[in-house]
Amino acid sequence: MNIKEQASKMDGIVAQGAIVDAVKQFFADNATTSDYNGLATTNKAQMVEKMEGFAGAIAAVNGITLHHTIVDGNASASEFTFDFNMKDNTKIYWHEIIRRIWNDEGRVIQEEYFNAQ
């Protein structure tokens, strides 16, 4: 499986704001995630639930910018800026690096988020 191609496809879906769809399409069932706030998921179903909750709390997408994606072997790193207005009247502005480890079938088996600020 071409990891560079898979990473590009997934990042394109994320950049369009279809974050839940990206997880559903590209995560392996046993995928794990962790972020810089200490939140973790241990499988695809948990990540879908987490992302559905997050997406449902967004009032407006002001912008999602994909800056760069690099691939080395079965690992990729993508730099994004996310700018959201939330339904609770807060604002989210994240500049982050998303590191993914991919399996041989082109599915994400580990995803980790790093604050790029």
Side-chain angles (χ1 to χ4, degrees):
M1 183 60 63
N2 185 326
I3 301 304
K4 186 172 185 175
E5 189 176 293
Q6 289 295 93
S8 178
K9 287 178 186 176
M10 184 173 186
D11 285 346
I13 291 170
V14 171
Q16 293 174 7
I19 299 167
V20 175
D21 292 340
V23 172
K24 287 179 178 178
Q25 184 174 345
F26 290 94
F27 270 47
D29 289 339
N30 64 340
T32 62
T33 69
S34 62
D35 67 27
Y36 45 87
N37 292 322
L39 298 175
T41 63
T42 58
N43 59 52
K44 178 179 179 177
Q46 285 181 347
M47 185 58 171
V48 168
E49 182 179 345
K50 177 183 172 183
M51 290 295 97
E52 286 175 339
F54 177 74
I58 298 171
V61 176
N62 302 316
I64 299 174
T65 304
L66 172 61
H67 301 284
H68 306 282
T69 300
I70 59 171
V71 175
D72 185 15
N74 72 332
S76 67
S78 303
E79 179 186 5
F80 280 96
T81 302
F82 298 95
D83 184 1
F84 303 122
N85 291 342
M86 306 306 286
K87 290 179 180 176
D88 67 0
N89 293 319
T90 60
K91 184 172 179 64
I92 288 180
Y93 187 84
W94 289 329
H95 182 199
E96 67 184 11
I97 306 295
I98 302 172
R99 183 184 62 85
R100 299 182 184 109
I101 304 297
W102 300 78
N103 67 18
D104 291 339
E105 290 81 39
R107 300 280 180 240
V108 174
I109 56 172
Q110 182 186 39
E111 187 170 79
E112 190 168 0
Y113 310 94
F114 299 90
N115 187 340
Q117 295 181 13

